[in-house]
Amino acid sequence: VQLVESGGGSVPPGGSLRLSCTAPVDTYRNNCMGWFRQAPGKEREGVAAIGTDGTTAYAESVKGRFIISQDQGKNTLYLQMDSLQPEVAAMYACAALNTRTATQALDRMREGLYINRGRGTQVTVS
């Protein structure tokens, strides 16, 4: 596994978390990167993605509350999550995707069509 997530945990409703994902430089710079989540009994959902040109895309359910960003110098992807509510609890994982746009990357994550992914980090809100 070459993508490594961190930053998950348990927070009360209304709390915040920032997830991080480090990746090898060639993976990070040559592909769209994104975050997806999956909770028990629910379908995988692409949450946010960022293209190689820096454009971003978000699932409707997280717009205005989650922000995806990156530090290219550190080959690190972030997901800032604010105003967390229990329904967002899930395993969050980062992924690298061979797509042209961040919007396409969201769809690919839902379908499980990523080049590589991390093991995930658990987010709990209670």
Side-chain angles (χ1 to χ4, degrees):
V1 177
Q2 297 176 305
L3 281 63
V4 181
E5 303 94 340
S6 61
S10 181
V11 296
S16 298
L17 285 172
R18 188 176 82 155
L19 307 182
S20 300
C21 170
T22 58
V25 59
D26 55 344
T27 298
Y28 184 82
R29 296 185 181 179
N30 295 330
N31 298 285
C32 288
M33 300 293 293
W35 292 93
F36 67 92
R37 66 188 178 192
Q38 189 160 22
K42 295 186 178 180
E43 293 185 353
R44 184 185 307 108
E45 179 185 18
V47 174
I50 187 165
T52 55
D53 60 355
T55 56
T56 58
Y58 296 91
E60 287 294 327
S61 60
V62 306
K63 282 184 178 179
R65 294 188 296 148
F66 291 12
I67 297 175
I68 188 170
S69 63
Q70 59 187 353
D71 184 333
Q72 293 186 337
K74 296 181 179 180
N75 302 330
T76 301
L77 183 73
Y78 301 102
L79 185 68
Q80 178 67 41
M81 306 188 295
D82 297 322
S83 302
L84 292 170
Q85 298 300 320
E87 60 266 23
V88 307
M91 180 69 74
Y92 284 71
C94 64
L97 303 110
N98 184 19
T99 60
R100 295 182 61 185
T101 69
T103 300
Q104 291 172 338
L106 280 183
D107 291 337
R108 290 284 182 89
M109 283 188 285
R110 184 182 68 248
E111 298 166 355
L113 299 177
Y114 27 72
I115 298 171
N116 201 353
R117 57 159 292 179
R119 291 178 175 170
T121 184
Q122 183 68 40
V123 171
T124 303
V125 184
S126 63

